[in-house]
């Protein structure tokens, strides 16, 4: 997977914004999918009878096509301890702001401070069932996933990925697959889509962001989204469903 290293002026601004959570530890930062909204339009427009943007607007799909870049990747040069939320389960404010811009944030070679490390449950999502963990009425709308390097079960790379998509992708794909009701409005809570006998992998890191959980043994990984604007699913690469990943829901 290729990522685009962020140009220096933007990097410096992000570095300053993130200083409170990264504690000035050394890291590389990059976007994951550039030109994301354009990718979505280019992929679906040939399959549609009218403008993709009009379809999403007419169907009242929230946050549709709102990410120019999708995914912010922060990879620490040395294993780093972070405190990304407090014991009241409130996510750091700057991360909320960056999720509004990038949709997905992931930290690699990082783990949580002992004061909050155990504040999670384990979960394993269904294959290609894109869904939200929290409804629009929930205040704790941020999903926060962890591979804990101190957890014996999560020491090794995981056999299953987590996939993330913009709300528009879910609606448009269901539209193409004929899975919508007539004049359907709004975003569903889940969509069973993209089951193309593994050909869907060609769309990874184009209109589907893959979080593979594939760092070496004992390397921590953290990933987060806002459930209002992004849907997620598991992707089972083999018959092994993968261990249950750490999950928590933050305000």
């Amino acid at each position: 997977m290729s990522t685009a290293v962020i140009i220096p002026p933007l990097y410096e601004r992000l570095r300053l914004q993130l200083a409170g959570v990264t504690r000035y530890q050394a890291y590389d930062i990059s976007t994951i999918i550039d030109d994301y909204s354009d990718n979505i339009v280019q992929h679906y427009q040939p399959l549609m009878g009218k403008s993709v943007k009009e379809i999403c607007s007419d169907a009242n799909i929230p946050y549709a096509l709102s990410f120019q870049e999708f995914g912010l990747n922060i990879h620490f040069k040395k294993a780093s301890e972070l405190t990304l939320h407090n014991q009241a389960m409130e996510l750091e404010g700057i991360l909320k702001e960056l999720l509004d811009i990038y949709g997905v944030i992931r930290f690699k070679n990082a783990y949580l401070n002992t004061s909050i490390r155990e504040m999670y449950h384990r979960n394993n999502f269904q294959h290609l069932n894109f869904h939200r963990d929290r409804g629009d009425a929930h205040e704790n709308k941020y999903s926060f996933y962890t591979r804990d390097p101190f957890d014996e079960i999560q020491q090794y790379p995981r056999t299953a990925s987590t996939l993330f998509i913009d709300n528009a992708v879910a609606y448009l794909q269901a539209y193409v697959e004929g899975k919508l009701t007539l004049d359907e409005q709004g975003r569903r809570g889940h969509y069973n889509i993209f089951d193309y006998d593994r050909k869907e992998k060609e769309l990874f890191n184009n209109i589907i962001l893959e979080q593979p959980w594939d760092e070496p043994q004992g390397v921590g990984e953290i990933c987060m989204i806002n459930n209002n604007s992004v849907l997620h699913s598991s992707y089972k690469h083999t018959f092994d469903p993968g261990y249950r990943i750490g999950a928590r829901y933050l305000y």
Side-chain angles (χ1 to χ4, degrees):
M1 178 192 68
S2 62
T3 56
V5 175
I6 291 178
I7 57 176
L10 180 55
Y11 172 87
E12 290 303 318
R13 178 171 64 78
L14 285 169
R15 185 181 64 81
L16 290 172
Q17 288 177 303
L18 288 165
V21 294
T22 60
R23 298 166 57 199
Y24 297 100
Q25 298 169 100
Y27 57 86
D28 292 321
I29 188 167
S30 58
T31 50
I32 302 173
I33 305 178
D34 290 334
D35 305 313
Y36 183 60
S37 57
D38 290 341
N39 291 351
I40 296 168
V41 172
Q42 289 171 14
H43 178 76
Y44 287 105
Q45 193 57 67
L47 307 174
M48 302 296 175
K50 66 176 183 178
S51 163
V52 164
K53 293 181 180 179
E54 282 186 43
I55 291 172
C56 292
S57 177
D58 291 347
N60 292 310
I61 305 303
Y63 304 97
L65 305 171
S66 60
F67 302 111
Q68 182 177 351
E69 290 86 28
F70 195 50
L72 188 65
N73 183 69
I74 301 162
H75 196 153
F76 288 90
K77 296 180 183 295
K78 296 182 180 179
S80 299
E81 180 181 276
L82 304 176
T83 304
L84 302 180
H85 67 82
N86 60 23
Q87 293 189 354
M89 304 299 279
E90 296 168 328
L91 184 64
E92 283 283 350
I94 184 55
L95 297 178
K96 298 178 185 179
E97 294 176 22
L98 292 176
L99 284 172
D100 288 342
I101 299 170
Y102 296 103
V104 181
I105 300 174
R106 72 180 180 202
F107 294 89
K108 292 192 172 190
N109 205 15
Y111 57 90
L112 294 175
N113 180 276
T114 54
S115 65
I116 58 172
R117 189 179 300 156
E118 301 298 325
M119 300 175 72
Y120 70 96
H121 62 278
R122 298 180 188 274
N123 210 339
N124 200 338
F125 311 118
Q126 294 180 24
H127 179 67
L128 290 177
N129 182 330
F130 287 90
H131 65 282
R132 62 190 182 197
D133 290 329
R134 286 291 183 266
D136 295 340
H138 286 92
E139 294 185 14
N140 57 340
K141 60 187 178 182
Y142 300 98
S143 284
F144 187 102
Y145 310 113
T146 55
R147 175 184 164 203
D148 183 354
F150 304 105
D151 185 330
E152 184 176 347
I153 295 173
Q154 297 183 349
Q155 275 278 314
Y156 290 89
R158 190 172 184 247
T159 57
S161 301
T162 306
L163 306 182
F164 301 103
I165 56 174
D166 168 309
N167 290 344
V169 173
Y171 184 85
L172 293 166
Q173 186 64 29
Y175 187 112
V176 168
E177 295 184 18
K179 294 180 176 177
L180 300 180
T181 60
L182 184 64
D183 298 325
E184 181 169 327
Q185 293 283 302
R187 182 189 72 164
R188 294 183 183 180
H190 69 90
Y191 296 82
N192 291 105
I193 48 178
F194 286 118
D195 191 1
Y196 287 162
D197 295 326
R198 302 297 176 177
K199 291 182 180 179
E200 65 277 350
K201 293 175 71 173
E202 297 173 5
L203 302 174
F204 286 9
N205 299 311
N206 179 21
I207 63 170
I208 301 172
L209 190 157
E210 181 188 22
Q211 163 56 20
W213 307 109
D214 62 352
E215 288 296 299
Q217 178 182 353
V219 174
E221 301 180 78
I222 301 166
C223 198
M224 65 197 75
I225 61 169
N226 179 343
N227 280 281
N228 290 351
S229 57
V230 175
L231 297 168
H232 64 284
S233 169
S234 275
Y235 191 82
K236 315 299 184 184
H237 290 272
T238 68
F239 289 111
D240 180 354
Y243 52 72
R244 291 184 297 159
I245 207 72
R248 63 190 79 190
Y249 309 123
L250 304 177
Y251 296 92

